[in-house]
Amino acid sequence: MIRTHRRRRLAIKPIAASPLGRWIQPGTWIALYLALIALPLLVLLLGDRPGGGGFGWDFALALGYAGLAMMAVQFALTARFKRATAPFGIDIIYYFHRYLAVIAFMLLLLHAALLVAIRPEAVGSIDPREAPAYMTLGWLAMLAFVSIMVTSLLRKQLRIDYDVWRRMHTVLAVLGIAFALLHILGSASYLLTPFKRGLWITLALSAIALVVHVRVIRPWWLQRHPWRVTEIRQERGRSWTVAVEPQHAAAFHYEPGQFSWLSLRASPLAMREHPFSFSSSPTRPGRLEFTIKALGDFTATIGDLQPGMAAWVDGPYGAFGVDRHPDATGHVFIAGGVGIAPIVSMLRALADRGDTRPLWLFYGNRRWERIVFREELDVMAGHLDLHVVHVLGEPPDGWTGERGFITREVLARHLPAGRHGFHYFICGPKPMIQLAERSLRSLDVPATRMHSEIFDLA
Ligand SMILES: Cc1cc2nc3c(=O)[nH]c(=O)nc-3n(C[C@H](O)[C@H](O)[C@H](O)COP(=O)(O)OP(=O)(O)OC[C@H]3O[C@@H](n4cnc5c(N)ncnc54)[C@H](O)[C@@H]3O)c2cc1C
């Protein structure tokens, strides 16, 4: 089923690759991240310092300040700064955000536990009627951070809807930082000079300003740069391809394999955006396409979209793509189900550019009739040096091809011997990605040549 709408032209160009820039940038950003955490701590040690607390007391306070600095910088990690995220891919940054949050939380927990253990009389009562306000604010900050940890790490087990969780996460994070700031200002230990107080106030307020940037300013900008749905095409396997075209003049540059956050039916300010890879190629300018599998509340409604509806695109993001590795002598793609979306974007780009390098696609699906882009892949195999290996979970009678999962044996049977310079791109369900990575490792593929895109940010 295809529904179409009038087309408009726009310049969607690929981003120029700069290998040198890509090597310099990650180091610069990591150094900046470490500096942002270390500097406010080092400043505390300059000039007058409170004395008499003993090592344990000072150590516990240092843990608290370190945990808080890390928590504040967490806001920068999810602020979607394209320059900062481009060298790593924003999905990797989100994972980093998750692990660092656990470390920061452990530091804060240790801070509180040590103080209670070492000097319970100085910590005082937990009862807000007896405790000084700054101590109550400290406990409230801790409560906010505990709630963030529980709801984030156990979101799926607690069955918290993603959109609800995201709003809750934002509110709790802002409250946690605000309470913690008031706590350290009230306790005044180490923040003895206006400069030191000013620095920590700036750090905490910058974190809150980043939330305003991501949740208000950027969505407001996006709302003023709308796109329009121009085509909804039914694909195999309960999937739909949605095409959108711009209703504004701002240029949009992306690489094949990247993704965007897409808002449909609700303005970007409503925080109901969902991440989807481009299945279109930047070599075919004028429109963006997303291929979406009906899996949950939002994706199940894609088939009901109508041409002419408004859409908003926040992107591009991600570092999953062949353009990042121009020196590769060939590529191996491993896809499961709708994980083919970013891979077909890359294949379309390679076909349009007349790429002559050898390409292998291992494509896992349950059934033959559910294979998204099956016919197009056959056509592309005629234009590219592309070898498509279908692996079916429930093959039809008489099937002579591969069956089951994409295992080490399946890969070893088809991959050529001279593939030292190849890069490997894996996208699909998490268990499939894990199996593929394990299998490739056992086939001596170095980790630096494996690139995976997990369709799950949290
Ligand atoms: C980088 C990336 C690229 C993706 N590309 C594609 C693609 O090309 N095609 C495709 O079909 N799917 C893609 N996905 C998956 C897609 O985003 C989810 O399937 C979709 O958001 C689920 O929404 P739902 O309400 O239909 O499902 P639900 O059943 O409500 O949610 C299922 C799970 O999807 C995740 N999820 C839900 N809502 C969001 C949200 N707003 N933001 C982030 N994650 C969310 C959560 O982990 C949730 O538990 C991609 C995901 C990521 C992270």
Side-chain angles (χ1 to χ4, degrees):
M1 191 194 303
I2 300 180
R3 298 198 282 274
T4 55
H5 189 69
R6 178 177 65 89
R7 290 188 184 180
R8 256 180 69 154
R9 276 197 59 77
L10 116 138
I12 304 178
K13 298 181 201 149
I15 296 169
S18 160
L20 180 64
R22 278 188 190 127
W23 278 109
I24 294 171
Q25 281 181 27
T28 314
W29 288 112
I30 291 170
L32 184 66
Y33 173 80
L34 293 175
L36 274 173
I37 292 171
L39 280 179
L41 289 177
L42 293 177
V43 166
L44 292 182
L45 300 176
L46 300 176
D48 287 344
R49 277 180 275 161
F55 174 77
W57 180 260
D58 285 342
F59 182 62
L61 290 186
L63 288 176
Y65 279 113
L68 184 56
M70 281 181 78
M71 281 294 185
V73 180
Q74 288 290 88
F75 289 74
L77 292 180
T78 50
R80 300 189 190 172
F81 291 127
K82 286 198 185 132
R83 270 179 178 277
T85 59
F88 309 96
I90 203 166
D91 39 350
I92 301 292
I93 300 280
Y94 271 73
Y95 276 90
F96 197 50
H97 165 80
R98 198 179 163 92
Y99 291 118
L100 288 177
V102 175
I103 296 174
F105 175 68
M106 297 309 284
L107 295 182
L108 293 175
L109 211 59
L110 263 176
H111 155 74
L114 262 179
L115 289 182
V116 170
I118 296 170
R119 298 259 301 274
E121 73 291 353
V123 174
S125 168
I126 200 168
D127 185 340
R129 289 165 303 181
E130 294 169 16
Y134 74 87
M135 282 306 296
T136 304
L137 286 162
W139 290 119
L140 284 176
M142 191 58 88
L143 185 65
F145 292 132
V146 169
S147 309
I148 290 178
M149 284 298 129
V150 172
T151 52
S152 302
L153 298 177
L154 301 175
R155 179 181 66 81
K156 288 184 183 161
Q157 290 85 334
L158 295 173
R159 294 172 193 271
I160 304 174
D161 175 76
Y162 189 89
D163 291 330
V164 173
W165 168 80
R166 203 146 61 139
R167 285 190 203 105
M168 203 159 70
H169 194 73
T170 307
V171 172
L172 286 171
V174 170
L175 286 179
I177 284 289
F179 290 154
L181 173 67
L182 295 173
H183 169 67
I184 57 169
L185 289 177
S187 69
S189 51
Y190 278 94
L191 297 184
L192 297 176
T193 65
F195 173 70
K196 290 181 183 177
R197 277 196 294 279
L199 185 78
W200 279 82
I201 291 173
T202 307
L203 185 68
L205 291 186
S206 305
I208 294 172
L210 285 173
V211 175
V212 176
H213 163 77
V214 182
R215 298 291 168 226
V216 182
I217 298 171
R218 188 156 177 79
W220 174 81
W221 185 91
L222 288 172
Q223 193 168 18
R224 293 174 60 88
H225 293 81
W227 296 65
R228 198 154 296 286
V229 174
T230 52
E231 183 180 342
I232 304 109
R233 198 168 62 236
Q234 188 161 21
E235 306 283 1
R236 294 173 181 279
R238 288 192 295 128
S239 301
W240 297 83
T241 291
V242 179
V244 297
E245 295 178 18
Q247 301 297 299
H248 56 81
F252 190 94
H253 307 286
Y254 73 105
E255 297 171 14
Q258 287 191 298
F259 73 95
S260 274
W261 269 275
L262 186 62
S263 295
L264 294 162
R265 292 199 183 88
S267 130
L269 285 155
M271 280 176 72
R272 297 233 184 93
E273 51 184 4
H274 290 252
F276 295 108
S277 303
F278 304 108
S279 52
S280 54
S281 161
T283 49
R284 302 174 195 180
R287 57 158 44 187
L288 298 174
E289 288 187 1
F290 302 91
T291 300
I292 299 173
K293 180 157 187 167
L295 282 174
D297 297 348
F298 173 78
T299 46
T301 65
I302 293 294
D304 304 331
L305 290 174
Q306 293 298 326
M309 287 172 98
W312 293 272
V313 179
D314 182 11
Y317 296 102
F320 183 70
V322 288
D323 288 6
R324 305 256 158 164
H325 310 283
D327 54 337
T329 55
H331 296 297
V332 175
F333 302 100
I334 302 178
V338 76
I340 192 69
I343 288 172
V344 95
S345 167
M346 293 187 246
L347 289 172
R348 285 170 172 169
L350 292 168
D352 290 349
R353 293 171 190 161
D355 202 286
T356 53
R357 288 173 289 181
L359 309 168
W360 264 261
L361 168 64
F362 294 85
Y363 190 9
N365 281 282
R366 192 168 293 170
R367 302 217 187 107
W368 179 246
E369 61 280 7
R370 290 198 195 161
I371 301 178
V372 184
F373 300 128
R374 197 179 76 199
E375 291 79 2
E376 186 179 347
L377 290 170
D378 285 345
V379 174
M380 280 199 280
H383 299 306
L384 289 161
D385 183 5
L386 171 66
H387 311 257
V388 182
V389 179
H390 288 292
V391 183
L392 296 180
E394 294 170 16
D397 292 343
W399 173 253
T400 54
E402 296 291 354
R403 55 181 70 216
F405 298 111
I406 304 173
T407 57
R408 181 190 193 280
E409 291 68 35
V410 170
L411 293 167
R413 255 195 298 280
H414 298 274
L415 285 176
R419 53 185 168 80
H420 304 295
F422 283 24
H423 275 258
Y424 299 75
F425 297 88
I426 314 163
C427 187
K430 208 169 179 178
M432 190 220 85
I433 292 184
Q434 287 166 341
L435 175 62
E437 285 177 348
R438 261 200 322 274
S439 306
L440 290 175
R441 269 198 301 275
S442 75
L443 290 168
D444 296 329
V445 173
T448 49
R449 292 185 174 271
M450 279 186 234
H451 317 282
S452 304
E453 182 79 293
I454 305 174
F455 278 1
D456 193 1
L457 290 177

